[in-house]
Amino acid sequence: MDLSGVSAALRERLPELGERMAQRIRAEVESYTDDSLTPFVSLRDSCESNADLVLRHFASGAEPDVRPAQETGRLRAEQGVPLADTLHAYRVGFEYLWSQMVEEARRHPEVTDAQLVAGSSRIWALFGRYAEAVAAAYREASAELALRREARRSALAEALFTGALADPTTLREAARQLGLPERGPYAVVAASVPDPGQEPLPGIEAVLRQVQVPSAWRLLPDQQIGLVSLLHRDAETVSLPALRRSRARVGVSPRFDSLRDTPQALRFARLALAGLPGDGPGVARFDDSPLAMLVAAAPAEATRLVEVVLRPVLDLPAAERARLLETLGHWFAAGGVAAEAADLLFVHPNTVRYRLRRVEKLTGRSLSEPNTLADLGAALHALRLLPR
């Protein structure tokens, strides 16, 4: 299997081989036609280096050195050349090199047909080793690049949420890097994390992307927060069902137009989340219940409101307290109509009226006065939202 003379002769014209191999690859592999993606000089140097190693292997029989193949794999990953095209280019390069070895062998009478057949098997075995090295290095570099890109995206999102970016140019660049439009409207989403490190909205960015809604997300120890573009006219319509399907507790800010207002929108989203009643999943939008949001925004003041307005009711025995508060809540939900509240409670309307008079007597507040209604409504919101 002695092709050392052939190899030595070809190594004397390595620059020419590298140049022509690069031209062949550029002609046959689409990704390599773009000089801005893969500069021709880089491709030529890679071809020359790899051809030299293959020819050295045929000349000496030494163990093949796959480091240039690994370097090529990493470089093509960084350049954004698809792995399939990278491997295709390697195949084209090996085919070209073997064709040159066969042509050169005609000038060496000592080389037999049997040696050429053996050489063919040998070079394709080498191709397999080099291709494996290229692919492994490519995937490793791609994973590293993905981690760096994600870290970059996470840092940019964090800067938007904290207000670290204020300059319009920087904000536009951040939007571009995050795949967001440079103008609103936007909304911020905040979702409670069930356990540290566990996403309450797994895969939400990809889900929203499928319905043409760009977004950028950040996972914090207690919350997953996201900046969502509402530029698409149906963005809100398609986003809310996706959030509800997650079975998470979610708060959504009002719309806003400037990325500069992202920190304030985050605060509103968190208030909406804090104002979500009960312990189960749900989506609360800040604009849906401004009163609940105000209660969540000022917990100390809301607690004091409960004390001032409802303390006589809260001091009752548990069963009676629960009946009166439930009746008052259903009466508010029914728009102040005792008969509708009675239907909700499965009692007679007179029972509802009796309980309401009991609330009036205990609190010293008339349910026919608008100010009283506002106080009691706010106190009920606070009672539902705040820890006792």
Side-chain angles (χ1 to χ4, degrees):
M1 200 187 298
D2 187 7
L3 296 176
S4 56
V6 172
S7 300
L10 289 177
R11 288 189 65 232
E12 290 181 1
R13 50 190 184 94
L14 262 177
E16 175 196 347
L17 280 177
E19 180 89 13
R20 291 186 176 180
M21 189 183 296
Q23 290 172 347
R24 178 71 64 85
I25 291 171
R26 175 156 284 195
E28 295 189 23
V29 186
E30 183 177 356
S31 294
Y32 287 78
T33 60
D34 186 351
D35 200 65
S36 64
L37 188 65
T38 308
F40 183 79
V41 173
S42 169
L43 176 59
R44 183 195 62 204
D45 291 347
S46 176
C47 289
E48 188 173 329
S49 176
N50 282 281
D52 186 32
L53 285 171
V54 172
L55 294 173
R56 284 177 183 272
H57 172 72
F58 272 91
S60 65
E63 188 70 14
D65 183 359
V66 297
R67 284 177 297 180
Q70 292 170 335
E71 292 171 5
T72 298
R74 282 190 289 269
L75 179 60
R76 298 297 177 255
E78 291 170 358
Q79 292 171 333
V81 179
L83 177 58
D85 283 0
T86 302
L87 293 176
H88 185 193
Y90 251 79
R91 174 173 288 278
V92 171
F94 267 78
E95 287 174 348
Y96 176 77
L97 181 60
W98 179 243
S99 71
Q100 295 303 299
M101 292 182 71
V102 170
E103 185 176 329
E104 179 64 29
R106 296 193 182 102
R107 303 185 185 96
H108 297 259
E110 72 278 10
V111 176
T112 65
D113 290 344
Q115 287 173 332
L116 281 176
V117 171
S120 176
S121 299
R122 191 172 171 186
I123 197 166
W124 288 115
L126 276 177
F127 167 74
R129 299 226 6 212
Y130 274 61
E132 287 177 7
V134 168
Y138 185 103
R139 293 190 181 101
E140 182 180 340
S142 294
E144 292 173 0
L145 288 168
L147 286 174
R148 288 206 295 268
R149 281 194 298 268
E150 187 56 36
R152 170 70 174 161
R153 282 176 56 82
S154 182
L156 286 172
E158 175 73 5
L160 286 175
F161 287 126
T162 59
L165 300 178
D167 178 79
T169 303
T170 308
L171 287 169
R172 286 195 295 271
E173 176 62 18
R176 188 185 67 79
Q177 293 267 352
L178 292 169
L180 296 169
E182 295 179 7
R183 59 188 179 90
Y186 310 96
V188 169
V189 174
S192 292
V193 170
D195 295 300
Q198 182 179 347
E199 292 186 355
L201 303 171
I204 186 63
E205 186 170 349
V207 170
L208 293 180
R209 191 185 309 119
Q210 288 177 351
V211 290
Q212 311 302 313
V213 178
S215 61
W217 296 82
R218 180 106 165 82
L219 183 62
L220 305 176
D222 61 336
Q223 290 177 347
Q224 184 178 9
I225 56 178
L227 176 59
V228 180
S229 167
L230 301 180
L231 189 60
H232 190 284
R233 63 175 183 172
D234 297 324
E236 198 164 359
T237 303
V238 298
S239 298
L240 288 174
L243 295 175
R244 291 192 177 98
R245 282 195 298 271
S246 68
R247 307 297 296 166
R249 291 178 63 80
V250 180
V252 182
S253 77
R255 289 175 169 232
F256 62 102
D257 291 319
S258 173
L259 288 173
R260 190 181 292 107
D261 297 327
T262 304
Q264 177 73 355
L266 174 59
R267 179 171 178 271
F268 287 144
R270 284 171 166 163
L271 288 175
L273 177 59
L276 186 65
D279 299 321
V283 177
R285 298 189 299 179
F286 187 93
D287 288 344
D288 288 343
S289 180
L291 179 58
M293 301 309 107
L294 288 174
V295 168
E301 291 76 4
T303 301
R304 179 60 182 163
L305 173 65
V306 172
E307 289 289 324
V308 170
V309 176
L310 290 175
R311 173 46 58 194
V313 178
L314 298 178
D315 286 339
L316 294 172
E320 185 178 4
R321 178 179 68 230
R323 279 195 302 271
L324 293 184
L325 290 175
E326 182 184 29
T327 300
L328 188 61
H330 280 294
W331 182 73
F332 269 100
V337 180
E340 292 185 13
D343 289 340
L344 295 171
L345 291 164
F346 302 102
V347 298
H348 194 277
N350 286 340
T351 302
V352 171
R353 296 185 183 100
Y354 168 78
R355 292 175 183 175
L356 293 176
R357 286 195 297 271
R358 178 92 168 114
V359 170
E360 287 181 316
K361 183 176 180 180
L362 287 167
T363 61
R365 297 169 185 269
S366 171
L367 292 176
S368 62
E369 295 179 2
N371 288 341
T372 295
L373 292 176
D375 290 343
L376 283 169
L380 282 175
H381 269 298
L383 197 60
R384 284 197 299 266
L385 299 176
L386 301 176
R388 292 293 303 276

PDB file of all heavy atoms in Angstrom, residues 248-272:
ATOM      1  N   ALA A 248     -50.168  27.983  35.398  1.00  0.00           N
ATOM      2  CA  ALA A 248     -49.324  28.718  36.348  1.00  0.00           C
ATOM      3  C   ALA A 248     -50.088  29.929  36.865  1.00  0.00           C
ATOM      4  O   ALA A 248     -51.155  30.288  36.355  1.00  0.00           O
ATOM      5  CB  ALA A 248     -48.024  29.157  35.668  1.00  0.00           C
ATOM      6  N   ARG A 249     -49.542  30.550  37.887  1.00  0.00           N
ATOM      7  CA  ARG A 249     -50.085  31.818  38.386  1.00  0.00           C
ATOM      8  C   ARG A 249     -49.323  32.943  37.698  1.00  0.00           C
ATOM      9  O   ARG A 249     -48.101  33.067  37.844  1.00  0.00           O
ATOM     10  CB  ARG A 249     -49.932  31.904  39.907  1.00  0.00           C
ATOM     11  CG  ARG A 249     -50.826  30.918  40.641  1.00  0.00           C
ATOM     12  CD  ARG A 249     -50.635  30.988  42.143  1.00  0.00           C
ATOM     13  NE  ARG A 249     -51.006  32.287  42.712  1.00  0.00           N
ATOM     14  CZ  ARG A 249     -52.259  32.659  42.982  1.00  0.00           C
ATOM     15  NH1 ARG A 249     -53.270  31.834  42.736  1.00  0.00           N
ATOM     16  NH2 ARG A 249     -52.513  33.842  43.519  1.00  0.00           N
ATOM     17  N   VAL A 250     -50.060  33.763  36.944  1.00  0.00           N
ATOM     18  CA  VAL A 250     -49.427  34.724  36.034  1.00  0.00           C
ATOM     19  C   VAL A 250     -50.040  36.105  36.226  1.00  0.00           C
ATOM     20  O   VAL A 250     -51.255  36.244  36.355  1.00  0.00           O
ATOM     21  CB  VAL A 250     -49.597  34.279  34.564  1.00  0.00           C
ATOM     22  CG1 VAL A 250     -48.949  35.280  33.617  1.00  0.00           C
ATOM     23  CG2 VAL A 250     -49.034  32.880  34.355  1.00  0.00           C
ATOM     24  N   GLY A 251     -49.176  37.119  36.230  1.00  0.00           N
ATOM     25  CA  GLY A 251     -49.623  38.503  36.227  1.00  0.00           C
ATOM     26  C   GLY A 251     -49.142  39.200  34.968  1.00  0.00           C
ATOM     27  O   GLY A 251     -48.017  38.949  34.499  1.00  0.00           O
ATOM     28  N   VAL A 252     -49.981  40.058  34.394  1.00  0.00           N
ATOM     29  CA  VAL A 252     -49.665  40.737  33.141  1.00  0.00           C
ATOM     30  C   VAL A 252     -49.813  42.246  33.336  1.00  0.00           C
ATOM     31  O   VAL A 252     -50.825  42.717  33.872  1.00  0.00           O
ATOM     32  CB  VAL A 252     -50.586  40.270  31.988  1.00  0.00           C
ATOM     33  CG1 VAL A 252     -50.203  40.956  30.675  1.00  0.00           C
ATOM     34  CG2 VAL A 252     -50.531  38.756  31.842  1.00  0.00           C
ATOM     35  N   SER A 253     -48.814  42.987  32.900  1.00  0.00           N
ATOM     36  CA  SER A 253     -48.822  44.446  33.034  1.00  0.00           C
ATOM     37  C   SER A 253     -49.749  45.086  32.012  1.00  0.00           C
ATOM     38  O   SER A 253     -50.173  44.434  31.044  1.00  0.00           O
ATOM     39  CB  SER A 253     -47.412  44.996  32.824  1.00  0.00           C
ATOM     40  OG  SER A 253     -47.087  45.010  31.434  1.00  0.00           O
ATOM     41  N   PRO A 254     -50.052  46.380  32.180  1.00  0.00           N
ATOM     42  CA  PRO A 254     -50.718  47.106  31.094  1.00  0.00           C
ATOM     43  C   PRO A 254     -49.778  47.221  29.892  1.00  0.00           C
ATOM     44  O   PRO A 254     -48.569  47.010  30.009  1.00  0.00           O
ATOM     45  CB  PRO A 254     -50.983  48.487  31.711  1.00  0.00           C
ATOM     46  CG  PRO A 254     -50.809  48.324  33.178  1.00  0.00           C
ATOM     47  CD  PRO A 254     -49.838  47.215  33.368  1.00  0.00           C
ATOM     48  N   ARG A 255     -50.326  47.579  28.745  1.00  0.00           N
ATOM     49  CA  ARG A 255     -49.498  47.824  27.564  1.00  0.00           C
ATOM     50  C   ARG A 255     -48.632  49.060  27.792  1.00  0.00           C
ATOM     51  O   ARG A 255     -49.020  49.985  28.505  1.00  0.00           O
ATOM     52  CB  ARG A 255     -50.384  48.077  26.338  1.00  0.00           C
ATOM     53  CG  ARG A 255     -51.118  46.858  25.818  1.00  0.00           C
ATOM     54  CD  ARG A 255     -52.040  47.247  24.688  1.00  0.00           C
ATOM     55  NE  ARG A 255     -52.566  46.070  24.011  1.00  0.00           N
ATOM     56  CZ  ARG A 255     -52.508  45.872  22.703  1.00  0.00           C
ATOM     57  NH1 ARG A 255     -51.935  46.776  21.924  1.00  0.00           N
ATOM     58  NH2 ARG A 255     -53.014  44.781  22.160  1.00  0.00           N
ATOM     59  N   PHE A 256     -47.466  49.072  27.158  1.00  0.00           N
ATOM     60  CA  PHE A 256     -46.620  50.261  27.179  1.00  0.00           C
ATOM     61  C   PHE A 256     -45.845  50.315  25.874  1.00  0.00           C
ATOM     62  O   PHE A 256     -45.667  49.293  25.196  1.00  0.00           O
ATOM     63  CB  PHE A 256     -45.694  50.274  28.393  1.00  0.00           C
ATOM     64  CG  PHE A 256     -44.711  49.129  28.445  1.00  0.00           C
ATOM     65  CD1 PHE A 256     -43.385  49.304  28.080  1.00  0.00           C
ATOM     66  CD2 PHE A 256     -45.117  47.873  28.879  1.00  0.00           C
ATOM     67  CE1 PHE A 256     -42.476  48.253  28.152  1.00  0.00           C
ATOM     68  CE2 PHE A 256     -44.212  46.814  28.944  1.00  0.00           C
ATOM     69  CZ  PHE A 256     -42.895  47.006  28.585  1.00  0.00           C
ATOM     70  N   ASP A 257     -45.390  51.504  25.515  1.00  0.00           N
ATOM     71  CA  ASP A 257     -44.819  51.712  24.179  1.00  0.00           C
ATOM     72  C   ASP A 257     -43.302  51.815  24.135  1.00  0.00           C
ATOM     73  O   ASP A 257     -42.695  51.524  23.119  1.00  0.00           O
ATOM     74  CB  ASP A 257     -45.416  52.978  23.545  1.00  0.00           C
ATOM     75  CG  ASP A 257     -46.884  52.805  23.206  1.00  0.00           C
ATOM     76  OD1 ASP A 257     -47.245  51.719  22.717  1.00  0.00           O
ATOM     77  OD2 ASP A 257     -47.667  53.732  23.449  1.00  0.00           O
ATOM     78  N   SER A 258     -42.669  52.232  25.222  1.00  0.00           N
ATOM     79  CA  SER A 258     -41.224  52.435  25.222  1.00  0.00           C
ATOM     80  C   SER A 258     -40.538  51.397  26.095  1.00  0.00           C
ATOM     81  O   SER A 258     -40.968  51.147  27.234  1.00  0.00           O
ATOM     82  CB  SER A 258     -40.884  53.841  25.733  1.00  0.00           C
ATOM     83  OG  SER A 258     -39.477  53.983  25.893  1.00  0.00           O
ATOM     84  N   LEU A 259     -39.463  50.812  25.575  1.00  0.00           N
ATOM     85  CA  LEU A 259     -38.695  49.856  26.379  1.00  0.00           C
ATOM     86  C   LEU A 259     -38.139  50.494  27.640  1.00  0.00           C
ATOM     87  O   LEU A 259     -37.816  49.792  28.601  1.00  0.00           O
ATOM     88  CB  LEU A 259     -37.551  49.280  25.530  1.00  0.00           C
ATOM     89  CG  LEU A 259     -37.964  48.303  24.428  1.00  0.00           C
ATOM     90  CD1 LEU A 259     -36.769  47.945  23.559  1.00  0.00           C
ATOM     91  CD2 LEU A 259     -38.581  47.045  25.021  1.00  0.00           C
ATOM     92  N   ARG A 260     -38.040  51.811  27.645  1.00  0.00           N
ATOM     93  CA  ARG A 260     -37.563  52.518  28.828  1.00  0.00           C
ATOM     94  C   ARG A 260     -38.504  52.297  30.020  1.00  0.00           C
ATOM     95  O   ARG A 260     -38.107  52.416  31.175  1.00  0.00           O
ATOM     96  CB  ARG A 260     -37.440  54.015  28.513  1.00  0.00           C
ATOM     97  CG  ARG A 260     -36.720  54.820  29.574  1.00  0.00           C
ATOM     98  CD  ARG A 260     -36.662  56.285  29.199  1.00  0.00           C
ATOM     99  NE  ARG A 260     -35.804  56.511  28.039  1.00  0.00           N
ATOM    100  CZ  ARG A 260     -36.243  56.805  26.816  1.00  0.00           C
ATOM    101  NH1 ARG A 260     -37.546  56.923  26.592  1.00  0.00           N
ATOM    102  NH2 ARG A 260     -35.408  57.003  25.823  1.00  0.00           N
ATOM    103  N   ASP A 261     -39.769  51.958  29.731  1.00  0.00           N
ATOM    104  CA  ASP A 261     -40.762  51.782  30.788  1.00  0.00           C
ATOM    105  C   ASP A 261     -40.882  50.335  31.257  1.00  0.00           C
ATOM    106  O   ASP A 261     -41.794  49.995  32.019  1.00  0.00           O
ATOM    107  CB  ASP A 261     -42.134  52.261  30.296  1.00  0.00           C
ATOM    108  CG  ASP A 261     -42.139  53.742  29.969  1.00  0.00           C
ATOM    109  OD1 ASP A 261     -41.405  54.493  30.649  1.00  0.00           O
ATOM    110  OD2 ASP A 261     -42.853  54.150  29.028  1.00  0.00           O
ATOM    111  N   THR A 262     -39.965  49.479  30.818  1.00  0.00           N
ATOM    112  CA  THR A 262     -40.034  48.060  31.190  1.00  0.00           C
ATOM    113  C   THR A 262     -39.990  47.842  32.704  1.00  0.00           C
ATOM    114  O   THR A 262     -40.764  47.024  33.227  1.00  0.00           O
ATOM    115  CB  THR A 262     -38.907  47.273  30.502  1.00  0.00           C
ATOM    116  OG1 THR A 262     -38.992  47.458  29.086  1.00  0.00           O
ATOM    117  CG2 THR A 262     -39.003  45.785  30.809  1.00  0.00           C
ATOM    118  N   PRO A 263     -39.120  48.523  33.467  1.00  0.00           N
ATOM    119  CA  PRO A 263     -39.100  48.285  34.927  1.00  0.00           C
ATOM    120  C   PRO A 263     -40.443  48.591  35.591  1.00  0.00           C
ATOM    121  O   PRO A 263     -40.892  47.840  36.461  1.00  0.00           O
ATOM    122  CB  PRO A 263     -37.994  49.223  35.425  1.00  0.00           C
ATOM    123  CG  PRO A 263     -37.101  49.425  34.243  1.00  0.00           C
ATOM    124  CD  PRO A 263     -38.020  49.424  33.059  1.00  0.00           C
ATOM    125  N   GLN A 264     -41.075  49.693  35.195  1.00  0.00           N
ATOM    126  CA  GLN A 264     -42.381  50.029  35.772  1.00  0.00           C
ATOM    127  C   GLN A 264     -43.421  48.980  35.389  1.00  0.00           C
ATOM    128  O   GLN A 264     -44.265  48.589  36.206  1.00  0.00           O
ATOM    129  CB  GLN A 264     -42.823  51.413  35.298  1.00  0.00           C
ATOM    130  CG  GLN A 264     -44.199  51.840  35.767  1.00  0.00           C
ATOM    131  CD  GLN A 264     -44.251  52.201  37.237  1.00  0.00           C
ATOM    132  OE1 GLN A 264     -43.260  52.035  37.935  1.00  0.00           O
ATOM    133  NE2 GLN A 264     -45.387  52.655  37.710  1.00  0.00           N
ATOM    134  N   ALA A 265     -43.364  48.493  34.145  1.00  0.00           N
ATOM    135  CA  ALA A 265     -44.307  47.463  33.707  1.00  0.00           C
ATOM    136  C   ALA A 265     -44.098  46.172  34.490  1.00  0.00           C
ATOM    137  O   ALA A 265     -45.061  45.462  34.807  1.00  0.00           O
ATOM    138  CB  ALA A 265     -44.145  47.209  32.207  1.00  0.00           C
ATOM    139  N   LEU A 266     -42.840  45.861  34.812  1.00  0.00           N
ATOM    140  CA  LEU A 266     -42.561  44.678  35.628  1.00  0.00           C
ATOM    141  C   LEU A 266     -43.216  44.810  36.998  1.00  0.00           C
ATOM    142  O   LEU A 266     -43.782  43.855  37.530  1.00  0.00           O
ATOM    143  CB  LEU A 266     -41.053  44.470  35.759  1.00  0.00           C
ATOM    144  CG  LEU A 266     -40.607  43.347  36.695  1.00  0.00           C
ATOM    145  CD1 LEU A 266     -41.188  42.003  36.251  1.00  0.00           C
ATOM    146  CD2 LEU A 266     -39.083  43.278  36.762  1.00  0.00           C
ATOM    147  N   ARG A 267     -43.132  46.006  37.576  1.00  0.00           N
ATOM    148  CA  ARG A 267     -43.774  46.228  38.876  1.00  0.00           C
ATOM    149  C   ARG A 267     -45.287  45.997  38.765  1.00  0.00           C
ATOM    150  O   ARG A 267     -45.894  45.358  39.630  1.00  0.00           O
ATOM    151  CB  ARG A 267     -43.492  47.646  39.359  1.00  0.00           C
ATOM    152  CG  ARG A 267     -44.138  47.990  40.694  1.00  0.00           C
ATOM    153  CD  ARG A 267     -43.645  49.335  41.214  1.00  0.00           C
ATOM    154  NE  ARG A 267     -44.295  49.677  42.456  1.00  0.00           N
ATOM    155  CZ  ARG A 267     -45.448  50.351  42.552  1.00  0.00           C
ATOM    156  NH1 ARG A 267     -46.047  50.763  41.448  1.00  0.00           N
ATOM    157  NH2 ARG A 267     -45.985  50.616  43.728  1.00  0.00           N
ATOM    158  N   PHE A 268     -45.896  46.493  37.696  1.00  0.00           N
ATOM    159  CA  PHE A 268     -47.331  46.292  37.518  1.00  0.00           C
ATOM    160  C   PHE A 268     -47.669  44.808  37.334  1.00  0.00           C
ATOM    161  O   PHE A 268     -48.687  44.326  37.845  1.00  0.00           O
ATOM    162  CB  PHE A 268     -47.829  47.091  36.312  1.00  0.00           C
ATOM    163  CG  PHE A 268     -47.888  48.574  36.540  1.00  0.00           C
ATOM    164  CD1 PHE A 268     -47.577  49.462  35.518  1.00  0.00           C
ATOM    165  CD2 PHE A 268     -48.253  49.095  37.775  1.00  0.00           C
ATOM    166  CE1 PHE A 268     -47.642  50.834  35.720  1.00  0.00           C
ATOM    167  CE2 PHE A 268     -48.324  50.465  37.984  1.00  0.00           C
ATOM    168  CZ  PHE A 268     -48.007  51.340  36.961  1.00  0.00           C
ATOM    169  N   ALA A 269     -46.838  44.093  36.572  1.00  0.00           N
ATOM    170  CA  ALA A 269     -47.080  42.658  36.369  1.00  0.00           C
ATOM    171  C   ALA A 269     -47.001  41.908  37.691  1.00  0.00           C
ATOM    172  O   ALA A 269     -47.801  40.995  37.958  1.00  0.00           O
ATOM    173  CB  ALA A 269     -46.074  42.097  35.372  1.00  0.00           C
ATOM    174  N   ARG A 270     -46.039  42.291  38.524  1.00  0.00           N
ATOM    175  CA  ARG A 270     -45.906  41.635  39.831  1.00  0.00           C
ATOM    176  C   ARG A 270     -47.077  41.984  40.746  1.00  0.00           C
ATOM    177  O   ARG A 270     -47.525  41.141  41.537  1.00  0.00           O
ATOM    178  CB  ARG A 270     -44.584  42.040  40.467  1.00  0.00           C
ATOM    179  CG  ARG A 270     -43.397  41.317  39.838  1.00  0.00           C
ATOM    180  CD  ARG A 270     -42.072  41.849  40.303  1.00  0.00           C
ATOM    181  NE  ARG A 270     -40.991  40.923  39.951  1.00  0.00           N
ATOM    182  CZ  ARG A 270     -39.704  41.243  39.940  1.00  0.00           C
ATOM    183  NH1 ARG A 270     -39.321  42.488  40.236  1.00  0.00           N
ATOM    184  NH2 ARG A 270     -38.796  40.343  39.620  1.00  0.00           N
ATOM    185  N   LEU A 271     -47.585  43.195  40.639  1.00  0.00           N
ATOM    186  CA  LEU A 271     -48.763  43.558  41.420  1.00  0.00           C
ATOM    187  C   LEU A 271     -49.978  42.759  40.950  1.00  0.00           C
ATOM    188  O   LEU A 271     -50.792  42.312  41.763  1.00  0.00           O
ATOM    189  CB  LEU A 271     -49.036  45.058  41.284  1.00  0.00           C
ATOM    190  CG  LEU A 271     -48.066  45.985  42.015  1.00  0.00           C
ATOM    191  CD1 LEU A 271     -48.377  47.436  41.697  1.00  0.00           C
ATOM    192  CD2 LEU A 271     -48.120  45.742  43.523  1.00  0.00           C
ATOM    193  N   ALA A 272     -50.097  42.588  39.639  1.00  0.00           N
ATOM    194  CA  ALA A 272     -51.201  41.780  39.114  1.00  0.00           C
ATOM    195  C   ALA A 272     -51.090  40.347  39.613  1.00  0.00           C
ATOM    196  O   ALA A 272     -52.098  39.728  39.982  1.00  0.00           O
ATOM    197  CB  ALA A 272     -51.186  41.818  37.586  1.00  0.00           C
TER     198      ALA A 272
END
